[in-house]
Amino acid sequence: MKKIDNCYVNITDNDIEYINVSIKDKMISGKGPYTPLFEEKLANYFGTNHSLTCSNATLGILMILMLLEVKEGDEVILPATAPIMSVLPIISLKAKPVFVDNEENSFNLCIKDLSKKISKKTKLLINVPMWGYANNIDEIAQICNLNDVKVLEDNSHCHGSKLNDSYLGCFGDYSVFSTHERKLITTGEGGFLLINNEVDYLKLKEIRSFGEAYSIKSTHEQYGGYGLFLGLNFKLSSINSAIGITQLDKLEWKIKKRTENANYIKTNILKISSKISEIKTLDNSINNYYSLALLVPEKDKNEIENLLMQQNIISDPLRYKYCPLYNLPIVSNTNKDCYNSEKLIDQIFTLPTHEGLDIMDLDTMIDVIKKYYA
Ligand SMILES: *Cc1c(COP(=O)(O)O)cnc(C)c1O
């Protein structure tokens, strides 16, 4: 039986041709020509001043924490509904994750709870909209700005999702996207940052490449350009970037296909029972349909996910044992008070919508729900 989950690697002849071209140049490191080309294309697409590719999104988050000099004792706020990759960089620096609750049945963050969680120690808020659904990042950024807290958007699920006619990635001080094979633009492993501030951009270039001096030109010659600043190596190879360039060209088409598939599923299942609903979306938002996220009563969720699995259809929350981040053993000594997050996680399951599915696949999903609520 064909396995249907939300991973579909859409590599076609034109990707392969372009990879071949990029290899033949024999400049294949992170300093090869396709990395700045990909970055220019990303900045143009999203409408930001700069983009910087990086090895993956987890390390992209670490780069921002290094930029802000986050250290032991500092606090970083993030949603309890985020996946583990969003919190690991915080823990790795011995900083303290502080979890903020969401609104009921929605990935919108609860502004009241957010205001309560901001303290003198807060260095950063990481917003993590899930499964392509834009949340109230506009309000979040406003509250954070008023309190001098920087905002990083972790949009690893949200390539091309929009709020108020702007792409997600244009609301915070910084934005990170993953290009792992599960994501809507893939380079195998990889990621990229979006940045508007010129000084931050140059500092991030230093952090990305062994501290090589970019922000102070006059000292560049001394020590061969290195040794003044701390940096590590977060570069993305030119071959990976070449894949990203042809992948980005497919993004709009992918979103169109996924939206059609999601609409077909929704038209057929939302009328089956009033017990099933789509997670709340904002009126002025466009979803990329990374996956279709649905809510059912807590007692139905596991049964439905298991019935789907019997048809080899994999719900993401089942696949990675979705739980509030603060329940993980590695995330200790933090607040565990996000009741809406807990409730949402107990009720959510996802259906794949990707462009590799045919009408029979979609009908198989619909039949499972039909039979369950018959
Ligand atoms: C995939 C993902 C990451 C991690 O991305 P990598 O590129 O695999 O490190 C981080 N945050 C979210 C929300 C993700 O979905």
Side-chain angles (χ1 to χ4, degrees):
M1 212 179 347
K2 174 170 159 190
K3 183 174 173 184
I4 303 177
D5 79 354
N6 81 336
C7 184
Y8 181 67
V9 181
N10 192 333
I11 298 279
T12 53
D13 286 351
N14 74 318
D15 299 283
I16 294 165
E17 274 167 38
Y18 207 60
I19 296 165
N20 282 335
V21 172
S22 77
I23 293 174
K24 279 184 189 138
D25 279 353
K26 298 198 176 159
M27 292 184 284
I28 57 178
S29 78
K31 298 233 164 154
Y34 292 91
T35 295
L37 263 180
F38 184 32
E39 290 166 349
E40 196 185 321
K41 204 167 158 134
L42 287 165
N44 278 337
Y45 179 86
F46 287 98
T48 52
N49 291 343
H50 299 288
S51 170
L52 281 175
T53 53
C54 52
S55 323
N56 55 62
T58 307
L59 291 180
I61 296 171
L62 184 61
M63 286 172 70
I64 299 297
L65 298 178
M66 286 176 71
L67 172 75
L68 300 175
E69 297 179 357
V70 171
K71 56 187 187 312
E72 187 164 0
D74 289 340
E75 295 180 356
V76 178
I77 300 177
L78 76 167
T81 50
I84 186 167
M85 305 84 169
S86 308
V87 78
L88 291 174
I90 303 168
I91 298 171
S92 78
L93 294 175
K94 298 191 163 57
K96 186 178 173 191
V98 172
F99 294 102
V100 60
D101 207 358
N102 44 271
E103 291 175 3
E104 216 176 327
N105 298 340
S106 152
F107 286 114
N108 281 354
L109 295 190
C110 171
I111 296 296
K112 211 172 133 196
D113 193 44
L114 174 56
S115 307
K116 269 199 310 210
K117 302 269 162 83
I118 293 175
S119 81
K120 286 205 173 65
K121 294 179 184 165
T122 311
K123 277 286 180 75
L124 178 71
L125 172 134
I126 307 180
N127 183 47
V128 192
M130 297 294 286
W131 288 294
Y133 291 80
N135 69 358
N136 55 339
I137 180 64
D138 48 350
E139 291 178 319
I140 296 165
Q142 200 179 14
I143 284 284
C144 288
N145 286 342
L146 283 173
N147 288 282
D148 261 331
V149 171
K150 296 282 186 201
V151 175
L152 167 63
E153 297 179 54
D154 178 353
N155 288 327
S156 293
H157 287 190
C158 290
H159 310 72
S161 293
K162 282 183 168 178
L163 180 67
N164 304 335
D165 289 326
S166 296
Y167 285 117
L168 294 194
C170 304
F171 293 88
D173 299 280
Y174 319 101
S175 176
V176 64
F177 292 74
S178 169
T179 55
H180 179 266
E181 73 173 9
R182 280 191 175 274
K183 312 300 159 90
L184 258 84
I185 302 173
T186 187
T187 60
E189 297 280 354
F192 60 90
L193 298 166
L194 301 176
I195 315 110
N196 278 318
N197 181 288
E198 189 70 22
V199 176
D200 288 341
Y201 168 67
L202 296 172
K203 290 303 290 178
L204 286 164
K205 276 182 91 164
E206 290 168 355
I207 289 167
R208 183 174 67 168
S209 182
F210 315 109
E212 180 180 2
Y214 285 99
S215 58
I216 304 175
K217 276 283 176 268
S218 60
T219 52
H220 191 266
E221 297 309 315
Q222 225 180 333
Y223 319 112
Y226 296 91
L228 284 165
F229 307 114
L230 178 68
L232 291 167
N233 182 1
F234 300 104
K235 298 192 298 298
L236 184 73
S237 88
S238 194
I239 307 172
N240 291 87
S241 296
I243 307 173
I245 290 171
T246 48
Q247 285 286 310
L248 179 53
D249 287 335
K250 298 185 214 257
L251 180 61
E252 293 295 327
W253 173 79
K254 281 188 178 195
I255 294 174
K256 187 170 160 279
K257 283 293 183 196
R258 284 165 180 257
T259 305
E260 284 167 14
N261 287 343
N263 285 340
Y264 180 82
I265 301 171
K266 280 197 284 180
T267 308
N268 283 286
I269 65 170
L270 295 181
K271 64 186 180 199
I272 295 171
S273 166
S274 59
K275 288 182 181 163
I276 186 163
S277 61
E278 186 176 15
I279 193 150
K280 270 191 210 158
T281 55
L282 290 167
D283 286 341
N284 42 357
S285 70
I286 293 176
N287 188 351
N288 69 2
Y289 280 107
Y290 177 79
S291 263
L292 176 60
L294 298 161
L295 297 173
V296 288
E298 185 182 339
K299 65 176 186 46
D300 298 352
K301 170 199 146 92
N302 288 343
E303 285 173 19
I304 290 175
E305 283 184 322
N306 286 326
L307 288 170
L308 287 164
M309 194 164 67
Q310 284 168 22
Q311 301 296 321
N312 230 357
I313 301 159
I314 315 296
S315 164
D316 252 7
L318 176 73
R319 180 176 62 82
Y320 75 95
K321 305 283 183 287
Y322 195 27
C323 73
L325 262 184
Y326 52 65
N327 285 355
L328 298 176
I330 201 173
V331 188
S332 53
N333 275 328
T334 63
N335 63 306
K336 299 179 193 269
D337 58 351
C338 299
Y339 304 112
N340 286 331
S341 304
E342 293 184 13
K343 209 172 129 212
L344 184 151
I345 289 171
D346 284 340
Q347 301 184 346
I348 197 168
F349 74 101
T350 66
L351 291 174
T353 57
H354 63 72
E355 64 277 13
L357 300 171
D358 59 31
I359 200 92
M360 271 167 47
D361 299 327
L362 304 179
D363 284 338
T364 308
M365 298 177 204
I366 293 162
D367 280 348
V368 171
I369 309 294
K370 262 192 191 149
K371 280 197 188 120
Y372 185 75
Y373 282 115

